[in-house]
Amino acid sequence: MNAVVDVVLPCLDEAAALPWVLERIPAGWRPVVVDNGSTDGSADLARSLGATVVHESRRGFGAACHAGLLAAEAEYVCFCDCDASLDPGLLPDFVRRIASGEADLVLGRRRPRGRGAWPLHARAGNLALSRMLHRRTGLRLHDLGPLRAARRKDLLGLDLTDRRSGYPLQMVVRAADAGWRVAEVDVPYLPRAGRSKVTGTWRGTWQAVRDMRSVLRE
């Protein structure tokens, strides 16, 4: 398959993880690192490693992801955390499923590998949201993980508006409302490099759940 793919990597102080992540981007694909205000030199490091760097001054996971989507040019766009918890080298199978017509949106179902890969409170929050998503859309998903792929044109058509932690959920909700076929693929979930800004704390997890509950009330 000769698909041209852009991989959006939202980034806030991820210098420790960037080399590991970028060296796993499939050959011929373009990594788009969206710097969300890093102070550890992430942007310069990403650029030196061959990535396209986009700056997004508005803080927030959704703001960074959407800036990357707007900067993307390829037919297919993938999203991946930039903390070395997920391997972008797994994404060709995601894109293959879309290109073959098997699915319109493919999500990575995280399978923890190693102690501390997925804190209990974050896992519980994800489970609760998956159940709420089922009640809202009828989709039976196990995870709302950040490793995912879809066609760029289709994603832009969803008119996503959340710029915080609700962005990935809003993508799934609006995809379901639009009749998309949503598929899950098991992926290993590794202990991240450095400290999480969201799910590493109860407060961060609670804020993420609150953002996502707002999305489900759409």
Side-chain angles (χ1 to χ4, degrees):
M1 182 177 64
N2 296 315
V4 178
V5 181
D6 285 335
V7 183
V8 174
L9 300 158
C11 176
L12 175 59
D13 292 333
E14 302 290 5
L18 273 168
W20 188 94
V21 173
L22 292 177
E23 74 179 11
R24 285 166 174 76
I25 298 294
W29 292 19
R30 183 174 72 135
V32 180
V33 173
V34 184
D35 185 63
N36 206 199
S38 298
T39 59
D40 68 347
S42 289
D44 289 341
L45 177 60
R47 196 176 291 109
S48 73
L49 294 172
T52 296
V53 176
V54 175
H55 294 278
E56 172 54 54
S57 59
R58 181 176 176 178
R59 283 289 182 94
F61 183 78
C65 287
H66 201 70
L69 175 61
L70 294 177
E73 299 173 348
E75 179 177 0
Y76 302 99
V77 175
C78 300
F79 296 85
C80 181
D81 277 358
C82 204
D83 58 7
S85 62
L86 293 163
D87 186 351
L90 301 172
L91 286 169
D93 181 50
F94 287 44
V95 174
R96 180 192 61 76
R97 291 170 188 258
I98 297 166
S100 68
E102 184 179 330
D104 302 302
L105 174 65
V106 179
L107 308 177
R109 180 187 180 186
R110 291 169 290 183
R111 296 294 199 174
R113 299 283 191 277
R115 187 175 182 180
W118 200 356
L120 181 60
H121 57 272
R123 203 178 308 188
N126 188 70
L127 177 62
L129 285 168
S130 295
R131 289 176 175 172
M132 287 189 280
L133 176 69
H134 174 61
R135 289 197 292 271
R136 165 66 175 76
T137 68
L139 287 176
R140 289 190 178 277
L141 299 176
H142 299 88
D143 191 13
L144 297 167
L147 193 70
R148 51 184 62 192
R151 282 189 169 85
R152 181 178 62 88
K153 183 179 178 181
D154 293 344
L155 287 169
L156 290 171
L158 293 179
D159 193 23
L160 301 174
T161 55
D162 191 283
R163 296 295 180 264
R164 295 167 56 98
S165 300
Y167 188 87
L169 176 62
Q170 188 180 55
M171 184 187 297
V172 177
V173 168
R174 293 195 177 182
D177 289 348
W180 288 25
R181 295 157 298 169
V182 182
E184 281 186 314
V185 177
D186 284 359
V187 296
Y189 192 44
L190 310 171
R192 60 156 293 140
R195 185 180 63 85
S196 171
K197 292 84 176 175
V198 180
T199 56
T201 66
W202 281 93
R203 182 179 180 181
T205 297
W206 169 243
Q207 181 62 57
V209 170
R210 194 166 64 173
D211 290 346
M212 292 184 180
R213 289 182 68 180
S214 296
V215 170
L216 290 170
R217 287 195 288 267
E218 284 187 349

